[in-house]
Amino acid sequence: MSRVASFPRPAALRESVRPDRLWRRFVGWLTEREHATIGFSILRILMGLSMLIVLLPSYADRRYLWGAGAWWVEPEASRRGWWEPLRLLFPKDNAVVFEVSFHLLLALAVVFVAGWKTRWVTPFLLVFWVGLSTNTTLLGNGGDTLMRIVLLFVVFADLSRHFSVDAWLRARVRRARPQRSARRPRWMPSWLGAWAHNTVLILCVFQILLVYLVSSLLKLQGEEWLNGTAIYYALSIEQFHVLPFLSQLAWQSAPMVAMATWLALWVQLLFPVLILWKPTRYAAVVLITGMHLGIAVLLGLWPFSLMMIGLDLLLVRDGSWVRLAARLGALRTGSLSPAT
């Protein structure tokens, strides 16, 4: 009887789904506090590492890829897809300015990963990264495009709440002066920071949903994805053989290749629906993260994979990260009983 009595009555259900109540709940969610702060901190680190994975291996060939030596790919090298003044940062006719800008970009990426002065570093990193990208339209992939879009969004997000030098400095100040509160301009409303951060969260989630939906719809038009052989053909491309023995090992089992192909297709297609319920959302995040790790290891597309993993992890709530850390800490110390 107690269970039956605990169910809400139809009148209470109708009251809870009234448009005005739903709107107030949404506004409260949007403005009361910042969400997914741990996810955004992880995204900052993975995004910075993606940039370094592009820049550091290309360091010796930087002039041929983006500098004066890139003129050999004319007329493509002269084409620009972004704002023309950005060419001034990485000119192809001034080696000194190019070298200074390139090394500044490297330094900004390192500082971004470390999370020091992140609010100021992020917009400068955006300008320099897009400036480098304008020097050629040939060096790029979906991960680069996604990185530019997301980097523009996260200028307005809190990226350094965790795992950062900024967080360490804030904790140090609080220990030294416990009464000191966070400084904010007097003219700025208290809700503005949370509103900007959570709006960025919505935009980032929309971006990954758009990527997965479009990608899966395009896959449905390919016979290889429907008959379960697409991953076999992807692993057979020699240009993507980062670890040939692993690629060859992966395609040895036809049933496994077919299952992986169909799983990649349907998880992406159903991703917008799966994230609506917490258990299926976390299952989808685990599966899609495993897929991107496989792409990174087997195909060598680390920048793209790290960007997508960072965006996917925004769907994990801060409370879930805290509970996971507590559970892992208990397992490490041996204080977690089998019953729990």
Side-chain angles (χ1 to χ4, degrees):
M1 291 299 294
S2 60
R3 286 188 177 181
V4 175
S6 65
F7 284 106
R9 296 179 180 179
L13 285 174
R14 288 195 299 270
E15 186 73 14
S16 64
V17 298
R18 283 174 48 187
D20 57 332
R21 286 181 174 269
L22 292 176
W23 175 251
R24 285 197 296 269
R25 288 177 61 185
F26 172 72
V27 171
W29 178 91
L30 194 64
T31 59
E32 288 176 358
R33 64 183 179 88
E34 297 172 342
H35 301 280
T37 57
I38 296 177
F40 271 110
S41 298
I42 296 173
L43 175 63
R44 184 199 79 243
I45 295 171
L46 295 182
M47 192 185 308
L49 290 176
S50 298
M51 294 178 183
L52 292 174
I53 289 172
V54 172
L55 297 174
L56 290 177
S58 307
Y59 184 80
D61 298 318
R62 62 191 181 279
R63 300 181 188 90
Y64 297 101
L65 297 174
W66 299 286
W71 286 114
W72 68 275
V73 292
E74 283 292 10
E76 291 294 330
S78 297
R79 297 181 184 178
R80 296 295 184 271
W82 296 280
W83 194 36
E84 188 70 12
L86 290 173
R87 295 176 61 184
L88 300 176
L89 287 175
F90 294 91
K92 294 187 177 181
D93 55 358
N94 191 324
V96 175
V97 175
F98 175 85
E99 290 295 324
V100 170
S101 296
F102 190 88
H103 288 86
L104 275 175
L105 176 57
L106 267 176
L108 287 169
V110 172
V111 173
F112 187 68
V113 172
W116 181 65
K117 300 292 183 183
T118 311
R119 288 285 189 185
W120 295 97
V121 167
T122 307
F124 284 103
L125 182 62
L126 168 65
V127 172
F128 274 79
W129 182 255
V130 176
L132 183 69
S133 302
T134 62
N135 270 27
T136 177
T137 58
L138 298 177
L139 298 174
N141 53 49
D144 301 326
T145 303
L146 192 62
M147 191 181 301
R148 289 191 291 270
I149 295 172
V150 172
L151 195 56
L152 175 62
F153 292 161
V154 299
V155 167
F156 306 98
D158 184 356
L159 300 175
S160 60
R161 182 73 64 87
H162 309 276
F163 321 126
S164 67
V165 176
D166 289 340
W168 176 76
L169 291 174
R170 285 193 295 265
R172 186 178 179 183
V173 169
R174 283 196 298 268
R175 287 194 298 268
R177 287 175 282 182
Q179 302 302 322
R180 184 179 178 181
S181 59
R183 291 185 296 179
R184 184 180 73 250
R186 294 183 179 180
W187 54 267
M188 183 182 294
S190 59
W191 53 265
L192 185 58
W195 173 81
H197 176 94
N198 294 328
T199 300
V200 171
L201 175 60
I202 294 173
L203 292 173
C204 288
V205 171
F206 170 77
Q207 193 64 44
I208 59 173
L209 294 182
L210 186 64
V211 169
Y212 289 142
L213 185 59
V214 172
S215 175
S216 59
L217 291 177
L218 292 175
K219 286 182 174 66
L220 285 174
Q221 301 177 28
E223 182 181 351
E224 294 80 5
W225 286 98
L226 296 177
N227 62 27
T229 60
I231 288 183
Y232 167 78
Y233 290 115
L235 295 176
S236 301
I237 300 174
E238 292 185 4
Q239 289 82 350
F240 291 112
H241 279 185
V242 182
L243 300 171
F245 70 96
L246 278 182
S247 299
Q248 295 171 10
L249 183 64
W251 75 52
Q252 294 302 314
S253 174
M256 292 298 296
V257 169
M259 287 296 296
T261 302
W262 292 327
L263 191 63
L265 170 62
W266 290 106
V267 169
Q268 289 185 51
L269 182 63
L270 298 176
F271 198 80
V273 178
L274 294 174
I275 66 171
L276 297 178
W277 188 39
K278 185 177 178 180
T280 56
R281 178 169 70 248
Y282 287 171
V285 169
V286 170
L287 289 173
I288 210 106
T289 298
M291 182 191 75
H292 287 304
L293 286 175
I295 292 173
V297 173
L298 295 175
L299 303 181
L301 299 177
W302 281 99
F304 169 75
S305 296
L306 291 180
M307 271 300 306
M308 293 306 300
I309 290 172
L311 288 170
D312 293 333
L313 294 181
L314 292 178
L315 294 168
V316 182
R317 298 178 180 179
D318 286 345
S320 299
W321 286 115
V322 172
R323 288 191 293 272
L324 177 61
R327 180 66 62 89
L328 293 176
L331 287 173
R332 188 179 68 252
T333 59
S335 59
L336 186 65
S337 63
T340 58

